[in-house]
Amino acid sequence: MNQENILEIRNISKSFGAVQALSNVSFTVGRSEIVGLVGDNGAGKSTIINLLMGVYQPDEGDIYFEGKRVTFVSPRNTRAIGIEPVYQSTAVVDLMNLWRNFYLGREVTRSFGPFRVLDKAEMKKKSIEMMWDIGVHVREADESVQYMSGGERQSLCIGRCMEFGGKMLLLDEPTAALSLKETDKVLKFAESVREKGLSEIIVDHNVYHIYPIVDRFVIMGRGRKITELRKADVSAEDVIETLMKL
Ligand SMILES: Nc1ncnc2c1ncn2[C@@H]1O[C@H](COP(=O)(O)OP(=O)(O)OP(=O)(O)O)[C@@H](O)[C@H]1O
Ligand SMILES: [Mg+2]
């Protein structure tokens, strides 16, 4: 495997009963590269994301991450490897407050005599700092995530990924159900990960939304990879035209 690639999906197939969701799909994601995964409804985009999240296992094919063959068995396992999902709501536990969400599964502890105790003050301070860093001006670390907007929640996921040494983000329709202003904000974050050396797969129905931020498009149709287009070689209209022909 090319060391410039952080992820390689090789000859993946997946069916659900009689539905062949993916047939022999292969593509790569480079380091600090943003790949836009586009295609019509039912093309298999979310299935790819779900395979990477360990929600399902592929029937056939292999996945390589940082040059090693990996098997994703659960979302927790995927996150431990360094791949972070950014969903509208499911990646954060709604009823928890901001700092708890931020440190979910990675709580900071300190020594207290012979014991290890949760370092709440440190976690609260850091989670607020990180959110400000990425442009979400939260005031209270105790604020419940259920009162945060969709865009703010996504920012939390992105911030969490950066803070904990995540290497890759998966965004499945991050702008669905967001206001124009929030869409703009989320896309800016989605783009900012490149400067931090992170890689990303972003799924979006709106080619115009993601055209400014992606490096390459992988175009899916009926469970197959139709083609790949480097942004440098095509206009947004070319991508849309390719999609319309499917
Ligand atoms: N858990 C499942 N059980 C049965 N069929 C499924 C399941 N998940 C996906 N499918 C089917 O697999 C195919 C691909 O679905 P997928 O959700 O990956 O498409 P998509 O490209 O994300 O579409 P959309 O743009 O509408 O989100 C569809 O025919 C879908 O109905
Ligand atoms: Mg989908």
Side-chain angles (χ1 to χ4, degrees), residues 41-42 44-47 172-173 203 205:
N41 292 113
K45 307 178 297 292
S46 295
T47 303
D172 194 353
E173 309 216 28
V203 177
H205 276 276

Side-chain angles (χ1 to χ4, degrees), residues 43-184:
K45 307 178 297 292
S46 295
T47 303
I48 292 174
I49 302 291
N50 284 328
L51 289 174
L52 293 172
M53 288 315 301
V55 176
Y56 311 123
Q57 312 306 316
D59 299 336
E60 279 171 61
D62 298 307
I63 301 174
Y64 296 82
F65 189 69
E66 296 193 301
K68 289 193 207 76
R69 189 170 170 276
V70 284
T71 311
F72 297 115
V73 293
S74 67
R76 180 180 276 268
N77 159 248
T78 298
R79 286 182 63 203
I81 288 173
I83 303 181
E84 189 94 19
V86 182
Y87 296 122
Q88 282 273 110
S89 56
T90 47
V92 284
V93 183
D94 277 359
L95 294 173
M96 286 186 176
N97 52 34
L98 171 69
W99 70 271
R100 281 269 182 204
N101 258 295
F102 208 86
Y103 282 94
L104 197 61
R106 300 179 178 109
E107 284 79 2
V108 177
T109 58
R110 63 182 164 85
S111 303
F112 180 73
F115 308 110
R116 300 294 309 168
V117 293
L118 284 182
D119 194 344
K120 287 189 199 170
E122 174 68 13
M123 288 189 278
K124 288 183 186 185
K125 185 168 146 275
K126 284 287 291 201
S127 54
I128 292 218
E129 276 172 16
M130 271 309 290
M131 293 301 279
W132 275 74
D133 271 358
I134 54 177
V136 182
H137 301 150
V138 282
R139 296 144 302 270
E140 291 283 334
D142 285 314
E143 194 171 305
S144 171
V145 169
Q146 67 177 317
Y147 301 120
M148 290 171 70
S149 72
E152 287 172 337
R153 289 175 191 206
Q154 288 174 355
S155 307
L156 189 152
C157 296
I158 296 172
R160 202 166 56 181
C161 182
M162 292 177 184
E163 172 73 357
F164 295 110
K167 294 165 183 159
M168 181 166 196
L169 281 166
L170 304 175
L171 289 85
D172 194 353
E173 309 216 28
T175 62
L178 292 190
S179 71
L180 275 178
K181 210 167 148 197
E182 278 212 321
T183 295
D184 205 50

